[in-house]
Amino acid sequence: METPGVTTVGLGLCVMLLITGSNGSVCYPAVESLDLGCLLRWDCPQASPNTTYTVQTKTQGGPWQDVPWCVWVSSRSCDVSQAFSNLELYNMIRLGVHLSPSSTVWMKPRKFDYSDFTFSPPSVSASLKDDQLLVKVQYPCAANRRCSPGRCCPISELIDPWTTVTVYNEHNHSEYQSRTVWTQEVVSHVDFSGLAPGQNYCAVANFSFPTFSIAASPKSAPQCVTIVSKSGTGLISLLLVPLVTVFLRRHRQAAPTTDNQPKIPSSVHDPVSLVPLSPVPVDPCHIHLEFADDQMSIDSSSKRDQTSTHTSDPLRHDPSSGAAYWDSGGMKLVSASHLCLTL
């Protein structure tokens, strides 16, 4: 049976072996990872200020390789984010301490995997479409420097995360819906239906590294919307219909009628002026025909009160027949009595 004291001593010795070089120098390396980045830091209390270091990495099935920007450096950190192209394979890091130009002590290799990953929370936006709540999830920019400078590369460009979106009633958290999707696009879209009208609903989301739920992000800040009540929409419609009806009636009353619109005058070049037919029968004895230069004009006795352009009165009366004649100024006239007799 092992005693607690012996177990503690054994663990301490194991830790010292991991971080102690062959010459007894001790370094304390640590890995920091945020949004798929990888930063190696180390502390070597017994090393002199002039000591230099080299960092190497190794991917499953490959050899150890120098990190080009971290060879013979005096700093105590190295960003190795660009050194790993496939984060789903086994990746290793080791630190070398240069005691002299020809002597390098390598610390115990350290793995770099999903257990080191930490993530920033995603951001969500919520909107309504018909009776559905649409939730859009955007991922943080990857710290991995494979992206061009000044450009944000969402982590979903480097991995396919599992994304969980939860929608809950703001005033009753026991009412909620949750969906988990495997995101293969840069942005995730998740739809929710069956929400109660007139209630406020909030959406939150988080994501995790593929197949490793232990490496998960915190939840996003909630985004809340109000589901429009159908009864409220109907009430608004009932209020708007009378207003629209009154507006249309006023618009029709203000529109000019066809009786008030100007009439198109007949052309002055027409040889015959067309007069609308009257429904009252016209006595043929009251119609006079006059012929001049192969032109014919029809005049009704109802137009005898029109003003003539001649200086003398062209209307002459025949006492014997009781008929009136127009002075045509040289035209041949047919009397009304003759016309009646002919008809």
Side-chain angles (χ1 to χ4, degrees):
M1 180 177 179
E2 296 182 357
T3 62
V6 174
T7 303
T8 304
V9 172
L11 291 175
L13 179 60
C14 182
V15 172
M16 289 298 295
L17 290 175
L18 289 175
I19 61 178
T20 303
S22 59
N23 64 343
S25 61
V26 178
C27 291
Y28 302 92
V31 172
E32 298 176 4
S33 177
L34 177 63
D35 298 332
L36 302 181
C38 183
L39 179 66
L40 180 68
R41 296 182 183 274
W42 59 89
D43 182 22
C44 303
Q46 299 177 4
S48 66
N50 297 328
T51 302
T52 56
Y53 309 90
T54 293
V55 177
Q56 290 184 339
T57 59
K58 180 181 179 179
T59 298
Q60 180 180 354
W64 285 102
Q65 294 181 337
D66 291 342
V67 178
W69 52 91
C70 293
V71 175
W72 291 83
V73 295
S74 58
S75 62
R76 299 295 177 94
S77 66
C78 176
D79 187 350
V80 296
S81 300
Q82 285 184 297
F84 302 116
S85 59
N86 192 338
L87 299 176
E88 295 184 356
L89 298 178
Y90 291 107
N91 295 290
M92 306 292 288
I93 309 172
R94 69 177 181 178
L95 174 67
V97 181
H98 298 290
L99 302 179
S100 67
S102 58
S103 176
T104 301
V105 178
W106 294 100
M107 302 292 112
K108 181 74 175 182
R110 193 195 188 288
K111 65 181 178 60
F112 174 64
D113 60 15
Y114 65 91
S115 63
D116 298 304
F117 295 158
T118 59
F119 296 101
S120 302
S123 61
V124 300
S125 59
S127 60
L128 292 174
K129 183 179 180 181
D130 298 331
D131 58 345
Q132 288 188 327
L133 177 63
L134 310 181
V135 180
K136 178 181 178 182
V137 183
Q138 292 182 309
Y139 302 93
C141 300
N144 193 304
R145 294 186 299 177
R146 280 183 286 176
C147 297
S148 58
R151 175 177 173 263
C152 171
C153 288
I155 64 163
S156 50
E157 287 190 2
L158 307 177
I159 62 173
D160 296 330
W162 285 97
T163 304
T164 300
V165 181
T166 302
V167 171
Y168 61 90
N169 191 319
E170 186 178 13
H171 302 295
N172 181 14
H173 288 195
S174 62
E175 180 191 349
Y176 70 92
Q177 297 183 36
S178 185
R179 292 183 58 189
T180 299
V181 296
W182 183 34
T183 303
Q184 295 180 287
E185 303 293 336
V186 176
V187 177
S188 284
H189 297 86
V190 184
D191 303 342
F192 293 87
S193 58
L195 304 178
Q199 298 293 317
N200 295 336
Y201 287 90
C202 300
V204 294
N206 75 324
F207 63 92
S208 62
F209 191 78
T211 68
F212 297 106
S213 59
I214 189 175
S217 73
K219 290 184 178 180
S220 65
Q223 291 293 318
C224 304
V225 295
T226 301
I227 306 300
V228 178
S229 174
K230 295 181 180 179
S231 60
T233 304
L235 180 60
I236 293 175
S237 300
L238 292 176
L239 293 176
L240 288 178
V241 168
L243 295 177
V244 173
T245 304
V246 172
F247 173 77
L248 292 177
R249 287 180 178 177
R250 291 184 177 179
H251 180 71
R252 290 175 180 175
Q253 292 175 359
T257 61
T258 55
D259 295 337
N260 296 330
Q261 294 181 358
K263 298 180 179 179
I264 301 175
S266 58
S267 175
V268 296
H269 301 287
D270 294 341
V272 179
S273 177
L274 299 179
V275 179
L277 295 178
S278 173
V280 181
V282 178
D283 190 352
C285 297
H286 294 164
I287 299 177
H288 307 276
L289 301 179
E290 54 186 39
F291 302 88
D293 300 332
D294 297 331
Q295 293 184 350
M296 178 181 69
S297 64
I298 303 175
D299 205 351
S300 174
S301 61
S302 61
K303 301 174 70 175
R304 293 176 182 174
D305 56 344
Q306 295 181 348
T307 306
S308 173
T309 56
H310 296 282
T311 55
S312 60
D313 186 3
L315 186 62
R316 299 181 181 180
H317 298 271
D318 187 353
S320 61
S321 62
Y325 301 88
W326 287 97
D327 186 355
S328 61
M331 299 181 182
K332 296 179 181 180
L333 301 179
V334 180
S335 66
S337 58
H338 179 72
L339 180 60
C340 290
L341 293 176
T342 304
L343 295 174

